[in-house]
PDB file of all heavy atoms in Angstrom:
ATOM      1  N   VAL A  84     -22.354  -7.813   4.218  1.00  0.00           N
ATOM      2  CA  VAL A  84     -21.907  -9.140   4.727  1.00  0.00           C
ATOM      3  C   VAL A  84     -22.054  -9.306   6.178  1.00  0.00           C
ATOM      4  O   VAL A  84     -22.557 -10.299   6.715  1.00  0.00           O
ATOM      5  CB  VAL A  84     -20.476  -9.366   4.165  1.00  0.00           C
ATOM      6  CG1 VAL A  84     -19.941 -10.660   4.804  1.00  0.00           C
ATOM      7  CG2 VAL A  84     -20.308  -9.568   2.697  1.00  0.00           C
ATOM      8  N   PRO A 158      -4.704  28.237 -31.861  1.00  0.00           N
ATOM      9  CA  PRO A 158      -4.034  27.014 -32.478  1.00  0.00           C
ATOM     10  C   PRO A 158      -4.967  26.490 -33.494  1.00  0.00           C
ATOM     11  O   PRO A 158      -6.140  26.267 -33.299  1.00  0.00           O
ATOM     12  CB  PRO A 158      -3.824  26.104 -31.334  1.00  0.00           C
ATOM     13  CG  PRO A 158      -3.833  26.803 -29.986  1.00  0.00           C
ATOM     14  CD  PRO A 158      -4.897  27.968 -30.387  1.00  0.00           C
ATOM     15  N   ALA A 189       0.037  26.066 -43.887  1.00  0.00           N
ATOM     16  CA  ALA A 189      -0.227  27.521 -43.721  1.00  0.00           C
ATOM     17  C   ALA A 189      -1.249  28.059 -44.627  1.00  0.00           C
ATOM     18  O   ALA A 189      -2.127  28.845 -44.129  1.00  0.00           O
ATOM     19  CB  ALA A 189       1.099  28.222 -43.873  1.00  0.00           C
ATOM     20  N   GLU A 222       5.031  34.464 -39.543  1.00  0.00           N
ATOM     21  CA  GLU A 222       5.892  34.917 -38.385  1.00  0.00           C
ATOM     22  C   GLU A 222       6.316  33.723 -37.623  1.00  0.00           C
ATOM     23  O   GLU A 222       5.602  32.776 -37.441  1.00  0.00           O
ATOM     24  CB  GLU A 222       5.209  35.984 -37.546  1.00  0.00           C
ATOM     25  CG  GLU A 222       6.018  36.561 -36.447  1.00  0.00           C
ATOM     26  CD  GLU A 222       5.227  37.378 -35.372  1.00  0.00           C
ATOM     27  OE1 GLU A 222       4.127  37.561 -35.767  1.00  0.00           O
ATOM     28  OE2 GLU A 222       5.796  37.867 -34.458  1.00  0.00           O
ATOM     29  N   PRO A 235      17.000  32.991 -11.790  1.00  0.00           N
ATOM     30  CA  PRO A 235      17.127  33.490 -10.442  1.00  0.00           C
ATOM     31  C   PRO A 235      16.513  34.792 -10.110  1.00  0.00           C
ATOM     32  O   PRO A 235      16.449  35.634 -11.047  1.00  0.00           O
ATOM     33  CB  PRO A 235      18.696  33.505 -10.136  1.00  0.00           C
ATOM     34  CG  PRO A 235      19.238  32.694 -11.234  1.00  0.00           C
ATOM     35  CD  PRO A 235      18.371  32.821 -12.384  1.00  0.00           C
ATOM     36  N   ILE A 290     -21.482   2.270  24.882  1.00  0.00           N
ATOM     37  CA  ILE A 290     -20.605   2.990  25.764  1.00  0.00           C
ATOM     38  C   ILE A 290     -21.129   4.371  26.123  1.00  0.00           C
ATOM     39  O   ILE A 290     -21.154   4.815  27.176  1.00  0.00           O
ATOM     40  CB  ILE A 290     -19.204   2.993  25.132  1.00  0.00           C
ATOM     41  CG1 ILE A 290     -18.571   1.594  25.223  1.00  0.00           C
ATOM     42  CG2 ILE A 290     -18.223   4.022  25.979  1.00  0.00           C
ATOM     43  CD1 ILE A 290     -17.254   1.406  24.518  1.00  0.00           C
ATOM     44  N   TRP A 346     -12.263   0.206  33.347  1.00  0.00           N
ATOM     45  CA  TRP A 346     -12.551  -0.930  32.387  1.00  0.00           C
ATOM     46  C   TRP A 346     -12.247  -0.474  31.032  1.00  0.00           C
ATOM     47  O   TRP A 346     -11.636  -1.304  30.267  1.00  0.00           O
ATOM     48  CB  TRP A 346     -13.945  -1.456  32.514  1.00  0.00           C
ATOM     49  CG  TRP A 346     -14.275  -2.620  31.678  1.00  0.00           C
ATOM     50  CD1 TRP A 346     -13.783  -3.797  31.749  1.00  0.00           C
ATOM     51  CD2 TRP A 346     -14.976  -2.549  30.421  1.00  0.00           C
ATOM     52  NE1 TRP A 346     -14.299  -4.613  30.723  1.00  0.00           N
ATOM     53  CE2 TRP A 346     -14.984  -3.827  29.871  1.00  0.00           C
ATOM     54  CE3 TRP A 346     -15.572  -1.492  29.711  1.00  0.00           C
ATOM     55  CZ2 TRP A 346     -15.567  -4.164  28.595  1.00  0.00           C
ATOM     56  CZ3 TRP A 346     -16.196  -1.728  28.547  1.00  0.00           C
ATOM     57  CH2 TRP A 346     -16.217  -3.065  27.983  1.00  0.00           C
ATOM     58  N   VAL A 361      -8.680   9.418  12.561  1.00  0.00           N
ATOM     59  CA  VAL A 361      -7.946   8.730  11.410  1.00  0.00           C
ATOM     60  C   VAL A 361      -8.641   8.983  10.091  1.00  0.00           C
ATOM     61  O   VAL A 361      -8.025   9.412   9.127  1.00  0.00           O
ATOM     62  CB  VAL A 361      -7.891   7.252  11.637  1.00  0.00           C
ATOM     63  CG1 VAL A 361      -7.236   6.614  10.471  1.00  0.00           C
ATOM     64  CG2 VAL A 361      -6.986   6.911  12.889  1.00  0.00           C
ATOM     65  N   ASN A 415       6.398   3.567  40.096  1.00  0.00           N
ATOM     66  CA  ASN A 415       6.002   4.255  41.258  1.00  0.00           C
ATOM     67  C   ASN A 415       6.916   5.407  41.510  1.00  0.00           C
ATOM     68  O   ASN A 415       7.485   5.575  42.702  1.00  0.00           O
ATOM     69  CB  ASN A 415       5.884   3.411  42.570  1.00  0.00           C
ATOM     70  CG  ASN A 415       5.127   4.066  43.646  1.00  0.00           C
ATOM     71  OD1 ASN A 415       4.312   4.973  43.407  1.00  0.00           O
ATOM     72  ND2 ASN A 415       5.453   3.701  44.856  1.00  0.00           N
ATOM     73  N   LEU A 428       9.540   9.706  28.524  1.00  0.00           N
ATOM     74  CA  LEU A 428       9.276  10.315  27.178  1.00  0.00           C
ATOM     75  C   LEU A 428      10.480  10.238  26.289  1.00  0.00           C
ATOM     76  O   LEU A 428      10.390   9.822  25.155  1.00  0.00           O
ATOM     77  CB  LEU A 428       8.967  11.849  27.392  1.00  0.00           C
ATOM     78  CG  LEU A 428       8.649  12.561  26.107  1.00  0.00           C
ATOM     79  CD1 LEU A 428       7.392  11.889  25.424  1.00  0.00           C
ATOM     80  CD2 LEU A 428       8.351  13.973  26.461  1.00  0.00           C
TER      81      LEU A 428
END
Side-chain angles (χ1 to χ4, degrees):
V84 170
E222 180 186 358
I290 293 175
W346 178 79
V361 176
N415 193 26
L428 183 59

